[in-house]
Amino acid sequence: MKRIFSEFKEFILGGNVLDLAVGVVIGSAFTAIVTQVVEGLITPLVGWFIAAITGTRDLESSLGVLDWSPTPGVTFQFGEIVSAVITFIITGFILFLIVKAANKANLSGEEEAPTAEEYLAEIRDLMRQEQGLPVESQEDSQTEEADETDKKTDSENKQE
């Protein structure tokens, strides 16, 4: 039983679970922001536009024309469905713009960091230049690396 608790503690304290929890909390807060932008700004603008076209007071009353009541007490509210679809499309578009802007900001701000091998190769080349020796190109060093790998493979095969 103690082993299970220690494994659970290791799992919970692992980076992935904590990162996921932070992502869920931030996602919830972000959803609230997007919902308020859509409900408080975008949907009223769309409603104002549709109301101006249909001559009604607001989005709900203009879409209320789509409601159908075949018998008293039974109403098919197609206007509500259209309103939900419009809200969904607007929300999706807003999220698309935000994600696109965030991706652009991440891509423009990040450069790929050189690897240790690239640093070492640059130091080697600078030292060769100081000593007046010819500098190897990347192709030459890759060919040498391939030759060394082949030699290691051959020697391992001979040992077997």
Side-chain angles (χ1 to χ4, degrees):
M1 191 61 129
K2 197 173 193 179
R3 185 172 150 239
I4 291 175
F5 284 123
S6 66
E7 287 179 10
F8 180 71
K9 180 181 176 185
E10 183 181 324
F11 171 74
I12 290 296
L13 294 178
N16 293 340
V17 174
L18 293 176
D19 291 343
L20 180 62
V22 169
V24 168
V25 170
I26 289 175
S28 299
F30 188 69
T31 300
I33 292 170
V34 171
T35 300
Q36 286 303 316
V37 167
V38 170
E39 289 178 1
L41 182 65
I42 307 295
T43 302
L45 288 173
V46 171
W48 184 40
F49 178 72
I50 291 175
I53 292 174
T54 59
T56 56
R57 290 185 3 209
D58 61 0
L59 179 63
E60 297 302 321
S61 60
S62 62
L63 292 177
V65 173
L66 300 175
D67 293 349
W68 177 54
S69 182
T71 60
V74 175
T75 304
F76 293 97
Q77 297 178 334
F78 295 111
E80 295 292 324
I81 295 170
V82 171
S83 177
V85 169
I86 290 172
T87 302
F88 173 76
I89 290 171
I90 293 169
T91 304
F93 184 69
I94 297 284
L95 284 173
F96 168 75
L97 292 177
I98 291 171
V99 169
K100 186 174 179 176
N103 287 340
K104 186 177 180 182
N106 284 342
L107 292 178
S108 64
E110 286 185 18
E111 288 186 16
E112 190 172 314
T115 63
E117 289 82 13
E118 291 171 338
Y119 279 128
L120 291 172
E122 188 175 336
I123 291 169
R124 179 200 63 213
D125 293 343
L126 289 172
M127 290 176 71
R128 284 179 167 235
Q129 281 179 345
E130 282 182 1
Q131 295 173 356
L133 298 172
V135 179
E136 291 182 14
S137 67
Q138 283 186 340
E139 294 171 0
D140 293 341
S141 61
Q142 288 174 353
T143 304
E144 287 177 12
E145 289 174 8
D147 291 342
E148 288 177 19
T149 304
D150 291 342
K151 288 178 185 176
K152 287 180 184 177
T153 305
D154 290 341
S155 65
E156 288 173 1
N157 288 339
K158 289 178 183 178
Q159 290 176 355
E160 291 176 357

